[in-house]
């Protein structure tokens, strides 16, 4: 079976870039990305490619090539569903904020709404692909909704799981050259096998066949959660050692290098930091913990929950370190933040460590001034308002946003580096130092700056995971 028409529900960080690359690589397939958020769709259709709603290096070129040819962005959800032979569900699955499983389980209401909408609208057979990260066994819920609420009993649905492994900031290269593509489906029936083959064929246009892995639906769903849990666990493991290094004169970067050269351990994801963020790690681990608890597996749940506990500790520890170093009071003191995004090369701020560090410092009445090359002020305020720690007015008085990094740092008592943007390394640090209050403190939460030269200028530096004898 050859797919001619794809619809993707959800034009976010996953749906947008993924569909843009599929459209670029499969010009014979019409790809329509739909979203209920009109503002987002308009931004995807903006002629000015610097205004796309998702910032990803290289994405503008891909969109430029495919948009209007076989890639379309629209709010006409029903029409796109009906025309498609394959529908990707790429809507958000945030952690539940209410009811059973609050703060842990994934909120599947958007997924369920999509399934009901597909069932209501579909007049021809559909292959429905789960792209969003979902708890294991969600496919059976989707299948049941589709089969039981369809308007037309003759319409047949096949469900596939095709989790996304792209990392933000490198989405385009990850999509063009993935380590693997995972496709889970019902491999016990001929219809199921046909659906799997149809999706394999799409990716086979640019991904070598041996990198396309097919499994049953449940393995695929669980592998996505597990891959993120393993990656996050590595970051929490190295972060736990960063604190020990600070006490023992070991240096976490040297330790990471030494252990990473063991090919059984490997060198990636061993960068100590102020804590991991992003839309996936925390959410997916909480989800895994919740699933384990549901099956009564308390030890399994506790094991994975510790990864989150360590991460929360690392963010708080960084903030408290600033407070204690600044003579135990930051009240009324200006503290400059360089970076707000959860990592470099993205405008995404979900679960960014910067939000939590800012929250702790605002509670101590410090004056924060932030510079981030891609995140706007409105987003930063929304992130803090979401925590609900203080009034919107207090937040806006306590945190100011600057378009110019030198202005953000001027007259500050301390600078905190929260995101590893490359441009920070190129700044005139002498100039920044000259305009600061003295002693000029610098807290590098990302281990990106060359500390000895900065110390020669006169900065008093804190670096995650080294002994920081000068503090
Ligand atoms: C992650 C997975 O990598 C990706 O495969 C999955 O599809 C979605 O979740 P993403 O959240 O975009 O991707 O970013 P990632 O590069 O994994 O970084 C997550 C967080 O960990 C960031 O805050 C990053 O700064 C932090 N991190 C990562 C570290 O602190 N140290 C490291 O060594 C690596
Ligand atoms: P992700 O990082 O998983 O892509 P985002 O929040 O960036 O998450 O994107 C999810 C998108 O899905 C949002 O733009 C949201 O408006 C959209 N969405 C959620 N529910 C529906 C729905 N029922 N129909 C269409 N779009 C939806």
């Amino acid at each position: 079976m050859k797919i001619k028409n794809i619809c993707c529900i959800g034009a976010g960080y996953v749906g947008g870039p993924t569909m843009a690359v599929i459209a670029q690589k499969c010009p014979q397939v019409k790809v329509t990305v739909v979203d209920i958020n009109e503002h987002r769709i308009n931004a995807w259709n903006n002629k000015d490619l610097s205004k796309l709603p998702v910032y990803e290096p290289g994405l503008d070129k891909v969109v430029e090539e495919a948009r209007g040819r076989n890639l379309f962005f629209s709010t006409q959800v029903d029409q796109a569903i009906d025309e498609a032979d394959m529908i990707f569900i790429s809507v958000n699955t945030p952690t539940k904020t209410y009811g059973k499983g609050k703060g842990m389980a994934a909120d599947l209401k958007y997924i369920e709404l999509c399934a009901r909408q597909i069932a209501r609208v579909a007049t021809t057979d559909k292959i429905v692909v789960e792209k969003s990260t979902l708890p294991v066994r969600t496919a059976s819920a989707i299948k049941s909704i589709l089969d039981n609420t369809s308007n037309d009993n003759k319409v047949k649905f096949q469900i596939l799981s095709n989790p996304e492994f792209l990392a933000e900031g490198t989405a385009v290269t990850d999509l063009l050259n993935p380590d693997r593509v995972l496709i889970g489906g019902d491999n016990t029936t001929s219809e199921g096998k046909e659906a799997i083959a149809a999706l394999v064929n799409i990716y086979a246009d640019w991904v070598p066949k041996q990198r396309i892995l097919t499994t049953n639906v449940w393995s695929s769903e669980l592998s996505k959660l597990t891959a993120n849990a393993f990656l996050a666990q590595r970051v929490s493991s190295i972060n736990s050692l960063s604190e020990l290094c600070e006490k023992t004169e070991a240096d976490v970067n040297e330790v990471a290098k030494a252990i990473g050269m063991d090919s059984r351990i490997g060198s990636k994801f061993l960068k100590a930091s102020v804590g991991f963020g992003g839309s996936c790690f925390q959410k997916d681990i909480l989800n895994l913990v919740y699933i384990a608890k549901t099956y009564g597996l308390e030890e399994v749940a506790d094991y994975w929950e510790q990864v989150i506990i360590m991460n929360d500790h690392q963010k708080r520890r960084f903030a408290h370190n600033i407070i204690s170093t600044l003579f135990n009071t930051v009240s009324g003191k200006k503290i400059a933040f360089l970076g707000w995004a959860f990592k470099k090369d993205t405008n995404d701020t979900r679960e960014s460590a910067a939000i939590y560090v800012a929250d702790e410092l605002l509670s101590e009445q410090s004056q924060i001034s932030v510079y981030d090359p891609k995140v706007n002020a409105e987003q930063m305020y929304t992130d803090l308002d979401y925590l609900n720690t203080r009034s919107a007015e207090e937040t806006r008085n306590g945190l100011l946003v600057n378009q110019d990094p030198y202005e953000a740092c001027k007259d500050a008592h301390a600078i905190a580096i929260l995101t590893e943007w490359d441009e920070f390394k190129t700044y005139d640090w002498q100039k920044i130092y000259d305009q600061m209050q003295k002693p000029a403190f610098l807290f590098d939460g990302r281990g990106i700056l060359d500390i000895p030269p900065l110390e020669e200028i006169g900065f008093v530096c804190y670096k995650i995971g080294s002994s920081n004898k000068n503090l």
Side-chain angles (χ1 to χ4, degrees), residues 150-199:
S150 175
N151 268 339
D152 182 342
N153 289 336
K154 285 192 223 67
V155 175
K156 296 266 176 300
F157 298 100
Q158 277 297 322
I159 321 283
L160 300 177
S161 157
N162 173 221
E164 195 48 77
F165 293 107
L166 66 82
E168 289 173 32
T170 51
V172 174
T173 42
D174 291 347
L175 285 162
L176 289 174
N177 189 20
D179 284 353
R180 64 6 192 137
V181 168
L182 179 57
I183 298 172
D186 179 3
N187 43 19
T188 61
T189 61
S190 61
E191 294 90 343
K193 284 183 196 157
E194 222 178 278
I196 295 172
L199 186 53

Side-chain angles (χ1 to χ4, degrees), residues 164-166 168 224 269 271 273 276-277 342-343 446:
E164 195 48 77
F165 293 107
L166 66 82
E168 289 173 32
K224 167 68 191 202
F269 268 70
K271 181 83 192 148
S273 69
F276 61 72
F342 83 97
K343 63 189 275 198
R446 292 287 174 175

